[in-house]
Amino acid sequence: MSTSTKKGSRPGKVTHLLLRQMKEQGERIAMLTAYDASFARLCDQAGTDVLLVGDSLGMVIQGGDNTLGVTMEDMVYHCRAVARGVEAATGRAMIVGDLPFMSYQTGPDEALRNAGRLIKEGHAEAVKLEGGAEYADLVRRMTRIGIPVMGHIGLTPQSIHSLGGYR
């Protein structure tokens, strides 16, 4: 397995520590969404730093009207496929798995169990969840047990019904 040599791209595996260093040094971080092994392989070969396996697969892959029907099983399956694609390429890109609707909102124990599934079964290297300060305690618990977390603020598709649409 080779490391990426694309101009502007660092060699070696992307980790949360490397991302922090890149941010502190003002370097650009390339992040794309992937749902399958083929696209993940291409993105990794192109030097993409982070691949998000998003619950947007409910709309993009499954043809749904929103992301709310995506299950943990869907996310584990697609994370594992993306992980295989990255591994078949350079193995460099970091894989972030999205925690789907109602996989973390019902309580910390279920949230930890589901985040653990994305890491253990899906081979994700971090998880993403929507929300802000209301999930700070949950994020602390996850990171304390070794699960890196990426937050998602701004457009929050899992809140489509409470917001009256995409806002």
Side-chain angles (χ1 to χ4, degrees):
M1 202 174 304
S2 66
T3 58
S4 177
T5 57
K6 186 171 171 33
K7 184 179 178 186
S9 168
R10 291 175 177 227
K13 179 69 182 154
V14 176
T15 66
H16 71 283
L17 296 174
L18 178 60
L19 291 174
R20 178 174 288 177
Q21 182 182 32
M22 290 171 73
K23 180 183 183 293
E24 289 170 355
Q25 294 177 358
E27 293 182 44
R28 293 184 177 179
I29 298 169
M31 182 173 185
L32 293 172
T33 301
Y35 308 109
D36 61 38
S38 297
F39 199 69
R41 188 180 75 250
L42 292 170
C43 289
D44 187 50
Q45 288 171 337
T48 305
D49 300 307
V50 181
L51 290 177
L52 170 67
V53 183
D55 63 355
S56 53
L57 69 89
M59 298 165 74
V60 176
I61 301 296
Q62 297 172 338
D65 290 336
N66 57 51
T67 65
L68 302 181
V70 175
T71 66
M72 276 304 300
E73 286 69 29
D74 294 333
M75 292 308 304
V76 168
Y77 172 86
H78 285 276
C79 282
R80 193 169 39 240
V82 167
R84 286 185 190 127
V86 168
E87 189 61 29
T90 71
R92 181 181 175 278
M94 179 181 196
I95 301 162
V96 179
D98 203 350
L99 284 167
F101 182 64
M102 297 308 289
S103 66
Y104 63 95
Q105 293 94 334
T106 58
D109 292 338
E110 187 168 4
L112 292 174
R113 193 170 23 261
N114 286 325
R117 283 191 68 199
L118 284 183
I119 302 293
K120 185 174 182 173
E121 298 171 39
H123 305 279
E125 296 154 315
V127 300
K128 180 194 81 82
L129 53 86
E130 290 182 13
E134 68 272 22
Y135 293 110
D137 289 338
L138 177 59
V139 170
R140 275 191 282 282
R141 284 187 69 182
M142 287 181 182
T143 57
R144 237 187 341 260
I145 64 170
I147 299 174
V149 178
M150 289 191 175
H152 177 180
I153 57 174
L155 178 67
T156 51
Q158 293 178 11
S159 302
I160 184 173
H161 293 312
S162 65
L163 297 174
Y166 294 108
R167 301 189 188 282

